[in-house]
Amino acid sequence: MKICVLPGDGIGPEIMAEAVRVLQALDLDCEMAEGLLGGGAVDATGDPYPEATQRLAQDADAVLLGAVGGPQWDNLPREQRPERGLLGIRKQLGLFANLRPAVLYRELANASTLKPEVVAGLDILIVRELTGDIYFGQPRGIETRELDGRQERFGFNTMQYSESEIRRILRVAFAAARRRNRKLCSVDKMNVLETTQLWRDVASETAAEYPDVELSHMLVDNAAMQLVRNPKQFDVIVTGNMFGDILSDEASMLTGSIGMLPSASLDVDNKGLYEPCHGSAPDIAGQGVANPLATILSVAMMLRYTFAREDDARRIESAVKRVLAQGYRTADIYEPGTQRVGTGAMGDAVLAAL
Ligand code: NAD
């Protein structure tokens, strides 16, 4: 088991330290190699995804990533911004399928801003296409152009998907739905965007391969609304890169904290990049208060999807459930009557539960 560990920026190194401790505690035969990605990589090498990291990532079976970015890098040329490193590694490794579970632990029902009866027992999976769409389409840029006789800046991006790109992500989503409650909702904006009309057509065609899965379609604005109105109507949601980016963050908040949610990004052979859904949280970096559970749960996803070690994945998930039942909470999920702990103490509690 060769694992490339990329702690990244902000709270990344703090939460990754706890995830690595949990992995080590399982005493598996794994080899870990650490690399630079994001702002720290720009500072050290001028490149958010340096060649040395590229070699490590390509050589590994799985990549474990903290988070990248921060305000100190926001004014760099776009090519050097930390987020470019993230987009670069996803593209290079061919990680086209992003799986984001949104699970509400019973103990955290009150941490959600939604009423407990709306979210209690929530267990949905958002499958987001990750290597196409408007985030990668060409042409793109900001140019000065003449408009009505005056010079004005003009911003433009290109939304695009090929049929094969749509079909392969739909297949991942149908397969995931088959392992769950066999309901798949495909989200698009076909009333306005031709690209997503094609998305809907291909989704309907692909459904013929999965007669046991019930496919429905929903417009993205309605999906955003339904996710807060009645999120338990969903089992698996599949959508493109940009809509998925937004909807999966919205789904995260249904569960009370973005600090609880892991994610997996897979290639065609189940090689994966595993990371928490949240960013580098510069507002709390260095304070030892960040919630490490999303990163620890990402280790569980890694063991499940890339290494097919379901038992070890469950051991980690059970340990997390147990520390929540014991009342340990980081600040982001704290409520009166529970015990507030920092990043390291939460890691200790998970290790003890393991
Ligand atoms: P963010 O997810 O970093 O933070 C949003 C809010 O959630 C903040 O209040 C933060 O304190 C809190 N939060 C996030 N993770 C937490 C955790 N583990 N424990 C407790 N609280 C947590 O999003 P943002 O503020 O929009 O972005 C900050 C930086 O992160 C930006 O530079 C952005 O580009 C980058 N970012 C990176 C990734 C990634 O690496 N995958 C994803 C999103 C944003």
Side-chain angles (χ1 to χ4, degrees):
M1 295 167 61
K2 279 172 109 172
I3 301 164
C4 168
V5 177
L6 306 174
D9 309 315
I11 60 169
E14 300 165 50
I15 53 180
M16 186 58 77
E18 303 312 315
V20 166
R21 284 170 74 205
V22 168
L23 186 56
Q24 284 167 339
L26 291 176
D27 211 14
L28 303 170
D29 184 16
C30 68
E31 210 180 282
M32 284 186 251
E34 196 170 308
L36 293 172
L37 184 80
V42 172
D43 291 348
T45 70
D47 184 348
Y49 184 32
E51 264 176 41
T53 307
Q54 295 185 28
R55 278 196 299 274
L56 280 183
Q58 285 175 308
D59 197 36
D61 302 310
V63 178
L64 203 50
L65 169 67
V68 302
Q72 63 270 53
W73 298 290
D74 280 351
N75 295 320
L76 287 174
R78 216 156 260 287
E79 292 311 312
Q80 286 187 352
R81 291 206 197 148
E83 293 75 12
R84 269 301 161 97
L86 202 57
L87 297 179
I89 192 171
R90 287 174 181 165
K91 190 85 181 168
Q92 187 186 57
L93 298 183
L95 307 170
F96 68 95
N98 183 222
L99 276 57
R100 293 200 190 193
V103 174
L104 184 65
Y105 293 88
R106 195 167 40 86
E107 292 81 5
L108 298 182
N110 288 324
S112 174
T113 49
L114 271 74
K115 292 183 190 130
E117 62 266 29
V118 175
V119 288
L122 180 76
D123 182 358
I124 61 181
L125 177 70
I126 299 197
V127 179
R128 165 188 169 195
E129 201 289 331
L130 210 53
T131 52
D133 206 350
I134 195 164
Y135 290 178
F136 292 97
Q138 296 285 351
R140 61 191 297 156
I142 301 173
E143 280 177 5
T144 301
R145 294 183 185 172
E146 195 172 305
L147 204 71
D148 298 333
R150 347 177 232 105
Q151 295 286 314
E152 238 192 78
R153 280 173 301 165
F154 192 87
F156 54 100
N157 293 88
T158 305
M159 175 179 267
Q160 59 182 24
Y161 265 122
S162 69
E163 183 180 349
S164 56
E165 281 177 308
I166 301 170
R167 202 176 298 281
R168 71 177 180 177
I169 189 73
L170 258 300
R171 285 186 175 137
V172 170
F174 272 110
R178 200 169 245 180
R179 289 192 295 267
R180 295 170 46 101
N181 294 322
R182 296 172 188 258
K183 273 172 59 184
L184 177 63
C185 179
S186 171
V187 171
D188 60 45
K189 187 73 182 169
M190 56 76 81
N191 53 345
V192 183
L193 298 167
E194 286 80 359
T195 308
T196 74
Q197 173 67 60
L198 178 67
W199 181 284
R200 184 172 289 212
D201 294 346
V202 174
S204 298
E205 291 159 22
T206 310
E209 300 169 28
Y210 302 86
D212 52 328
V213 177
E214 181 196 322
L215 174 70
S216 60
H217 302 278
M218 197 178 277
L219 296 176
V220 64
D221 40 349
N222 188 24
M225 194 171 73
Q226 294 299 331
L227 269 175
V228 286
R229 196 184 74 87
N230 177 19
K232 284 190 272 182
Q233 71 184 280
F234 296 111
D235 176 24
V236 179
I237 291 175
V238 62
T239 190
N241 202 346
M242 179 166 63
F243 297 160
D245 190 1
I246 300 165
L247 293 182
S248 56
D249 268 16
E250 186 189 3
S252 311
M253 277 321 293
L254 300 176
T255 70
S257 172
I258 200 164
M260 290 300 302
L261 296 173
S263 76
S265 305
L266 306 174
D267 76 358
V268 282
D269 300 316
N270 287 336
K271 172 170 177 165
L273 181 142
Y274 298 86
E275 57 180 325
C277 288
H278 58 72
S280 58
D283 53 334
I284 56 166
Q287 297 174 21
V289 297
N291 186 346
L293 293 179
T295 316
I296 290 170
L297 290 166
S298 299
V299 172
M301 285 189 95
M302 175 179 80
L303 293 171
R304 172 173 295 126
Y305 288 104
T306 293
F307 298 116
R309 299 187 74 98
E310 182 65 29
D311 288 354
D312 290 313
R314 290 204 181 166
R315 276 184 72 194
I316 294 176
E317 288 162 353
S318 303
V320 168
K321 276 192 195 127
R322 181 174 300 187
V323 301
L324 293 174
Q326 288 167 337
Y328 295 111
R329 302 283 188 277
T330 41
D332 55 316
I333 51 175
Y334 174 77
E335 55 183 318
T338 60
Q339 189 180 342
R340 190 192 297 246
V341 293
T343 313
M346 185 57 105
D348 290 343
V350 174
L351 286 177
L354 265 183

Short mmCIF file of all heavy atoms in Angstrom, two decimals, residues 220-272:
data_model
loop_
_atom_site.label_atom_id
_atom_site.label_comp_id
_atom_site.label_asym_id
_atom_site.label_seq_id
_atom_site.Cartn_x
_atom_site.Cartn_y
_atom_site.Cartn_z
N VAL A 220 -31.00 22.35 -11.46
CA VAL A 220 -30.08 22.62 -10.35
C VAL A 220 -30.65 23.62 -9.34
O VAL A 220 -30.42 23.48 -8.13
CB VAL A 220 -28.69 23.07 -10.88
CG1 VAL A 220 -28.77 24.39 -11.62
CG2 VAL A 220 -27.68 23.15 -9.74
N ASP A 221 -31.44 24.57 -9.81
CA ASP A 221 -32.00 25.55 -8.85
C ASP A 221 -33.00 24.85 -7.94
O ASP A 221 -33.03 25.08 -6.72
CB ASP A 221 -32.62 26.75 -9.57
CG ASP A 221 -33.39 26.37 -10.82
OD1 ASP A 221 -33.29 25.23 -11.28
OD2 ASP A 221 -34.12 27.24 -11.36
N ASN A 222 -33.80 23.95 -8.51
CA ASN A 222 -34.72 23.18 -7.68
C ASN A 222 -33.97 22.26 -6.73
O ASN A 222 -34.33 22.13 -5.55
CB ASN A 222 -35.67 22.38 -8.58
CG ASN A 222 -36.79 21.71 -7.80
OD1 ASN A 222 -37.14 22.15 -6.70
ND2 ASN A 222 -37.32 20.64 -8.33
N ALA A 223 -32.89 21.64 -7.23
CA ALA A 223 -32.12 20.72 -6.39
C ALA A 223 -31.55 21.47 -5.17
O ALA A 223 -31.56 20.95 -4.05
CB ALA A 223 -31.00 20.08 -7.19
N ALA A 224 -31.07 22.69 -5.41
CA ALA A 224 -30.53 23.49 -4.30
C ALA A 224 -31.61 23.72 -3.25
O ALA A 224 -31.36 23.69 -2.04
CB ALA A 224 -29.99 24.82 -4.82
N MET A 225 -32.84 23.96 -3.73
CA MET A 225 -33.95 24.21 -2.83
C MET A 225 -34.39 22.91 -2.12
O MET A 225 -34.57 22.89 -0.90
CB MET A 225 -35.11 24.76 -3.66
CG MET A 225 -36.22 25.37 -2.88
SD MET A 225 -37.34 26.19 -4.02
CE MET A 225 -38.14 24.81 -4.79
N GLN A 226 -34.51 21.83 -2.88
CA GLN A 226 -34.96 20.56 -2.29
C GLN A 226 -33.98 20.03 -1.24
O GLN A 226 -34.38 19.37 -0.29
CB GLN A 226 -35.17 19.50 -3.38
CG GLN A 226 -36.29 19.81 -4.36
CD GLN A 226 -37.65 19.91 -3.69
OE1 GLN A 226 -37.91 19.28 -2.67
NE2 GLN A 226 -38.53 20.74 -4.24
N LEU A 227 -32.70 20.35 -1.43
CA LEU A 227 -31.71 19.86 -0.46
C LEU A 227 -31.92 20.45 0.93
O LEU A 227 -31.59 19.82 1.92
CB LEU A 227 -30.28 20.20 -0.93
CG LEU A 227 -29.58 19.16 -1.78
CD1 LEU A 227 -28.23 19.69 -2.28
CD2 LEU A 227 -29.36 17.85 -1.03
N VAL A 228 -32.48 21.65 1.01
CA VAL A 228 -32.78 22.19 2.35
C VAL A 228 -34.23 21.94 2.74
O VAL A 228 -34.57 21.96 3.92
CB VAL A 228 -32.45 23.70 2.48
CG1 VAL A 228 -30.96 23.91 2.55
CG2 VAL A 228 -33.05 24.51 1.39
N ARG A 229 -35.12 21.75 1.74
CA ARG A 229 -36.53 21.54 2.07
C ARG A 229 -36.78 20.10 2.56
O ARG A 229 -37.37 19.89 3.60
CB ARG A 229 -37.39 21.80 0.82
CG ARG A 229 -38.88 21.99 1.12
CD ARG A 229 -39.68 22.15 -0.16
NE ARG A 229 -39.83 20.91 -0.88
CZ ARG A 229 -40.80 20.02 -0.65
NH1 ARG A 229 -41.71 20.26 0.25
NH2 ARG A 229 -40.86 18.91 -1.35
N ASN A 230 -36.27 19.14 1.79
CA ASN A 230 -36.52 17.73 2.13
C ASN A 230 -35.37 16.87 1.62
O ASN A 230 -35.51 16.11 0.65
CB ASN A 230 -37.85 17.30 1.49
CG ASN A 230 -38.13 15.84 1.73
OD1 ASN A 230 -37.56 15.23 2.64
ND2 ASN A 230 -39.00 15.26 0.92
N PRO A 231 -34.20 16.98 2.26
CA PRO A 231 -33.01 16.30 1.73
C PRO A 231 -33.11 14.79 1.74
O PRO A 231 -32.44 14.11 0.97
CB PRO A 231 -31.88 16.78 2.66
CG PRO A 231 -32.54 17.24 3.90
CD PRO A 231 -33.91 17.74 3.49
N LYS A 232 -33.98 14.24 2.62
CA LYS A 232 -34.03 12.78 2.73
C LYS A 232 -34.72 12.13 1.53
O LYS A 232 -34.75 10.91 1.41
CB LYS A 232 -34.70 12.37 4.04
CG LYS A 232 -33.74 12.56 5.23
CD LYS A 232 -34.25 11.95 6.51
CE LYS A 232 -35.11 12.93 7.26
NZ LYS A 232 -35.58 12.41 8.55
N GLN A 233 -35.29 12.95 0.61
CA GLN A 233 -35.87 12.38 -0.61
C GLN A 233 -34.78 11.81 -1.53
O GLN A 233 -35.07 11.04 -2.43
CB GLN A 233 -36.66 13.45 -1.38
CG GLN A 233 -35.78 14.52 -2.04
CD GLN A 233 -36.57 15.63 -2.70
OE1 GLN A 233 -37.07 15.47 -3.79
NE2 GLN A 233 -36.69 16.75 -2.02
N PHE A 234 -33.51 12.22 -1.29
CA PHE A 234 -32.43 11.80 -2.19
C PHE A 234 -31.70 10.57 -1.65
O PHE A 234 -31.58 10.39 -0.44
CB PHE A 234 -31.40 12.93 -2.35
CG PHE A 234 -31.94 14.17 -3.00
CD1 PHE A 234 -32.10 15.34 -2.27
CD2 PHE A 234 -32.29 14.17 -4.34
CE1 PHE A 234 -32.59 16.49 -2.87
CE2 PHE A 234 -32.78 15.32 -4.95
CZ PHE A 234 -32.94 16.48 -4.21
N ASP A 235 -31.19 9.78 -2.60
CA ASP A 235 -30.26 8.70 -2.25
C ASP A 235 -28.91 9.08 -2.85
O ASP A 235 -28.01 9.52 -2.16
CB ASP A 235 -30.80 7.37 -2.78
CG ASP A 235 -29.85 6.22 -2.54
OD1 ASP A 235 -29.02 6.31 -1.61
OD2 ASP A 235 -29.92 5.20 -3.27
N VAL A 236 -28.79 8.96 -4.18
CA VAL A 236 -27.57 9.40 -4.86
C VAL A 236 -27.93 10.52 -5.82
O VAL A 236 -28.94 10.44 -6.53
CB VAL A 236 -26.92 8.23 -5.64
CG1 VAL A 236 -25.65 8.70 -6.35
CG2 VAL A 236 -26.61 7.07 -4.71
N ILE A 237 -27.11 11.58 -5.82
CA ILE A 237 -27.27 12.68 -6.77
C ILE A 237 -26.04 12.67 -7.67
O ILE A 237 -24.92 12.52 -7.18
CB ILE A 237 -27.34 14.04 -6.02
CG1 ILE A 237 -28.64 14.15 -5.21
CG2 ILE A 237 -27.21 15.22 -6.98
CD1 ILE A 237 -28.73 15.41 -4.34
N VAL A 238 -26.24 12.83 -8.97
CA VAL A 238 -25.09 12.94 -9.88
C VAL A 238 -25.20 14.23 -10.66
O VAL A 238 -26.29 14.61 -11.11
CB VAL A 238 -24.98 11.72 -10.83
CG1 VAL A 238 -26.19 11.59 -11.74
CG2 VAL A 238 -23.71 11.79 -11.67
N THR A 239 -24.08 14.93 -10.79
CA THR A 239 -24.12 16.20 -11.52
C THR A 239 -22.73 16.59 -12.00
O THR A 239 -21.74 15.93 -11.68
CB THR A 239 -24.79 17.30 -10.65
OG1 THR A 239 -25.02 18.45 -11.45
CG2 THR A 239 -23.91 17.68 -9.46
N GLY A 240 -22.67 17.67 -12.78
CA GLY A 240 -21.42 18.13 -13.36
C GLY A 240 -20.53 18.82 -12.33
O GLY A 240 -20.89 18.96 -11.15
N ASN A 241 -19.39 19.26 -12.81
CA ASN A 241 -18.35 19.78 -11.91
C ASN A 241 -18.80 21.02 -11.13
O ASN A 241 -18.69 21.06 -9.90
CB ASN A 241 -17.12 20.08 -12.77
CG ASN A 241 -15.84 20.11 -11.96
OD1 ASN A 241 -15.86 20.15 -10.73
ND2 ASN A 241 -14.71 20.08 -12.64
N MET A 242 -19.33 22.02 -11.83
CA MET A 242 -19.66 23.27 -11.13
C MET A 242 -20.89 23.11 -10.23
O MET A 242 -20.87 23.52 -9.07
CB MET A 242 -19.90 24.40 -12.13
CG MET A 242 -20.27 25.70 -11.41
SD MET A 242 -20.17 27.16 -12.44
CE MET A 242 -21.39 26.82 -13.67
N PHE A 243 -21.95 22.50 -10.76
CA PHE A 243 -23.15 22.32 -9.92
C PHE A 243 -22.81 21.43 -8.72
O PHE A 243 -23.27 21.65 -7.60
CB PHE A 243 -24.29 21.68 -10.71
CG PHE A 243 -24.78 22.52 -11.88
CD1 PHE A 243 -25.49 21.92 -12.91
CD2 PHE A 243 -24.54 23.89 -11.93
CE1 PHE A 243 -25.95 22.67 -13.99
CE2 PHE A 243 -25.00 24.64 -13.01
CZ PHE A 243 -25.70 24.02 -14.04
N GLY A 244 -21.97 20.42 -8.97
CA GLY A 244 -21.60 19.50 -7.90
C GLY A 244 -20.76 20.17 -6.83
O GLY A 244 -20.87 19.86 -5.64
N ASP A 245 -19.92 21.09 -7.24
CA ASP A 245 -19.11 21.86 -6.30
C ASP A 245 -20.02 22.58 -5.30
O ASP A 245 -19.84 22.50 -4.08
CB ASP A 245 -18.29 22.88 -7.13
CG ASP A 245 -17.23 23.60 -6.31
OD1 ASP A 245 -17.08 23.31 -5.11
OD2 ASP A 245 -16.53 24.45 -6.90
N ILE A 246 -21.03 23.22 -5.83
CA ILE A 246 -21.92 24.04 -4.99
C ILE A 246 -22.87 23.15 -4.18
O ILE A 246 -23.00 23.31 -2.96
CB ILE A 246 -22.70 25.02 -5.88
CG1 ILE A 246 -21.71 25.94 -6.63
CG2 ILE A 246 -23.68 25.85 -5.03
CD1 ILE A 246 -22.31 26.69 -7.79
N LEU A 247 -23.51 22.19 -4.85
CA LEU A 247 -24.49 21.35 -4.14
C LEU A 247 -23.85 20.50 -3.05
O LEU A 247 -24.44 20.26 -2.00
CB LEU A 247 -25.24 20.45 -5.12
CG LEU A 247 -26.16 21.15 -6.11
CD1 LEU A 247 -26.86 20.11 -6.98
CD2 LEU A 247 -27.19 22.04 -5.42
N SER A 248 -22.61 20.05 -3.29
CA SER A 248 -22.00 19.18 -2.28
C SER A 248 -21.62 20.00 -1.04
O SER A 248 -21.68 19.49 0.08
CB SER A 248 -20.83 18.40 -2.84
OG SER A 248 -19.88 19.25 -3.41
N ASP A 249 -21.26 21.26 -1.22
CA ASP A 249 -21.02 22.09 -0.03
C ASP A 249 -22.32 22.37 0.71
O ASP A 249 -22.36 22.40 1.94
CB ASP A 249 -20.36 23.43 -0.42
CG ASP A 249 -18.84 23.36 -0.37
OD1 ASP A 249 -18.31 22.23 -0.33
OD2 ASP A 249 -18.19 24.42 -0.37
N GLU A 250 -23.38 22.58 -0.06
CA GLU A 250 -24.68 22.80 0.58
C GLU A 250 -25.09 21.55 1.37
O GLU A 250 -25.49 21.65 2.54
CB GLU A 250 -25.74 23.11 -0.49
CG GLU A 250 -27.09 23.50 0.12
CD GLU A 250 -28.20 23.59 -0.91
OE1 GLU A 250 -27.97 23.29 -2.11
OE2 GLU A 250 -29.32 23.94 -0.52
N ALA A 251 -24.91 20.39 0.76
CA ALA A 251 -25.25 19.14 1.44
C ALA A 251 -24.39 18.96 2.69
O ALA A 251 -24.87 18.46 3.71
CB ALA A 251 -25.04 17.96 0.49
N SER A 252 -23.13 19.41 2.62
CA SER A 252 -22.25 19.31 3.79
C SER A 252 -22.86 20.01 4.98
O SER A 252 -22.83 19.52 6.10
CB SER A 252 -20.91 20.00 3.54
OG SER A 252 -20.36 19.62 2.35
N MET A 253 -23.41 21.18 4.74
CA MET A 253 -23.92 21.97 5.86
C MET A 253 -25.19 21.38 6.46
O MET A 253 -25.50 21.65 7.61
CB MET A 253 -24.14 23.43 5.45
CG MET A 253 -22.88 24.27 5.49
SD MET A 253 -21.79 23.92 6.90
CE MET A 253 -22.79 24.49 8.27
N LEU A 254 -25.90 20.56 5.69
CA LEU A 254 -27.07 19.89 6.26
C LEU A 254 -26.65 19.06 7.47
O LEU A 254 -27.40 18.84 8.39
CB LEU A 254 -27.70 18.93 5.24
CG LEU A 254 -28.20 19.52 3.94
CD1 LEU A 254 -28.69 18.40 3.05
CD2 LEU A 254 -29.29 20.52 4.20
N THR A 255 -25.42 18.59 7.42
CA THR A 255 -24.96 17.67 8.45
C THR A 255 -24.38 18.40 9.65
O THR A 255 -23.96 17.77 10.59
CB THR A 255 -23.88 16.72 7.90
OG1 THR A 255 -22.71 17.50 7.68
CG2 THR A 255 -24.32 16.08 6.62
N GLY A 256 -24.33 19.71 9.61
CA GLY A 256 -23.90 20.45 10.79
C GLY A 256 -22.50 20.98 10.67
O GLY A 256 -22.23 22.07 11.14
N SER A 257 -21.62 20.23 10.07
CA SER A 257 -20.27 20.75 9.93
C SER A 257 -19.58 20.20 8.72
O SER A 257 -19.55 19.00 8.49
CB SER A 257 -19.41 20.41 11.14
OG SER A 257 -18.08 20.79 10.86
N ILE A 258 -18.97 21.11 8.02
CA ILE A 258 -18.15 20.71 6.88
C ILE A 258 -16.91 19.96 7.40
O ILE A 258 -16.28 19.22 6.67
CB ILE A 258 -17.82 21.99 6.07
CG1 ILE A 258 -17.41 21.67 4.65
CG2 ILE A 258 -16.79 22.85 6.78
CD1 ILE A 258 -17.45 22.86 3.72
N GLY A 259 -16.62 20.11 8.69
CA GLY A 259 -15.46 19.43 9.29
C GLY A 259 -15.67 17.94 9.52
O GLY A 259 -14.78 17.25 10.04
N MET A 260 -16.85 17.41 9.16
CA MET A 260 -17.16 15.99 9.37
C MET A 260 -17.11 15.17 8.10
O MET A 260 -17.29 13.96 8.15
CB MET A 260 -18.60 15.86 9.92
CG MET A 260 -18.82 16.34 11.32
SD MET A 260 -17.81 15.46 12.52
CE MET A 260 -18.33 13.77 12.25
N LEU A 261 -16.96 15.82 6.93
CA LEU A 261 -17.24 15.10 5.70
C LEU A 261 -16.02 14.76 4.86
O LEU A 261 -15.26 15.64 4.45
CB LEU A 261 -18.22 15.92 4.86
CG LEU A 261 -19.57 16.10 5.54
CD1 LEU A 261 -20.43 17.04 4.75
CD2 LEU A 261 -20.27 14.76 5.71
N PRO A 262 -15.85 13.47 4.59
CA PRO A 262 -14.75 13.02 3.74
C PRO A 262 -15.15 13.05 2.27
O PRO A 262 -16.32 13.24 1.95
CB PRO A 262 -14.56 11.57 4.19
CG PRO A 262 -15.95 11.13 4.52
CD PRO A 262 -16.68 12.34 5.07
N SER A 263 -14.18 12.81 1.41
CA SER A 263 -14.53 12.63 0.00
C SER A 263 -13.50 11.72 -0.66
O SER A 263 -12.37 11.60 -0.18
CB SER A 263 -14.60 13.97 -0.73
OG SER A 263 -13.30 14.45 -0.99
N ALA A 264 -13.94 11.11 -1.75
CA ALA A 264 -13.06 10.26 -2.54
C ALA A 264 -13.14 10.72 -3.98
O ALA A 264 -14.21 11.07 -4.46
CB ALA A 264 -13.53 8.80 -2.45
N SER A 265 -12.00 10.74 -4.65
CA SER A 265 -11.98 11.02 -6.09
C SER A 265 -11.26 9.87 -6.76
O SER A 265 -10.10 9.60 -6.44
CB SER A 265 -11.25 12.33 -6.38
OG SER A 265 -11.82 13.37 -5.63
N LEU A 266 -11.97 9.21 -7.67
CA LEU A 266 -11.46 7.95 -8.21
C LEU A 266 -11.16 8.02 -9.70
O LEU A 266 -11.81 8.76 -10.43
CB LEU A 266 -12.50 6.84 -7.98
CG LEU A 266 -12.99 6.66 -6.55
CD1 LEU A 266 -14.12 5.63 -6.51
CD2 LEU A 266 -11.86 6.24 -5.64
N ASP A 267 -10.18 7.20 -10.10
CA ASP A 267 -9.95 7.04 -11.54
C ASP A 267 -10.62 5.74 -11.98
O ASP A 267 -11.33 5.11 -11.20
CB ASP A 267 -8.44 7.09 -11.87
CG ASP A 267 -7.70 5.80 -11.52
OD1 ASP A 267 -8.31 4.86 -10.98
OD2 ASP A 267 -6.49 5.74 -11.82
N VAL A 268 -10.38 5.34 -13.21
CA VAL A 268 -11.08 4.15 -13.73
C VAL A 268 -10.67 2.87 -13.01
O VAL A 268 -11.41 1.89 -13.03
CB VAL A 268 -10.86 3.97 -15.26
CG1 VAL A 268 -11.74 4.92 -16.04
CG2 VAL A 268 -9.40 4.17 -15.64
N ASP A 269 -9.48 2.88 -12.37
CA ASP A 269 -9.01 1.66 -11.69
C ASP A 269 -9.13 1.74 -10.17
O ASP A 269 -8.46 0.98 -9.45
CB ASP A 269 -7.54 1.41 -12.03
CG ASP A 269 -7.34 1.24 -13.51
OD1 ASP A 269 -8.15 0.52 -14.13
OD2 ASP A 269 -6.39 1.84 -14.07
N ASN A 270 -9.91 2.68 -9.68
CA ASN A 270 -10.09 2.85 -8.23
C ASN A 270 -8.87 3.38 -7.50
O ASN A 270 -8.80 3.32 -6.28
CB ASN A 270 -10.56 1.58 -7.53
CG ASN A 270 -12.01 1.30 -7.84
OD1 ASN A 270 -12.76 2.21 -8.17
ND2 ASN A 270 -12.40 0.06 -7.75
N LYS A 271 -7.88 3.85 -8.25
CA LYS A 271 -6.84 4.65 -7.59
C LYS A 271 -7.56 5.91 -7.14
O LYS A 271 -8.42 6.43 -7.84
CB LYS A 271 -5.73 4.99 -8.57
CG LYS A 271 -4.71 5.99 -7.99
CD LYS A 271 -3.49 6.12 -8.88
CE LYS A 271 -2.54 7.16 -8.31
NZ LYS A 271 -1.21 7.09 -8.91
N GLY A 272 -7.21 6.40 -5.97
CA GLY A 272 -8.01 7.52 -5.48
C GLY A 272 -7.24 8.59 -4.76
O GLY A 272 -6.13 8.37 -4.25
#
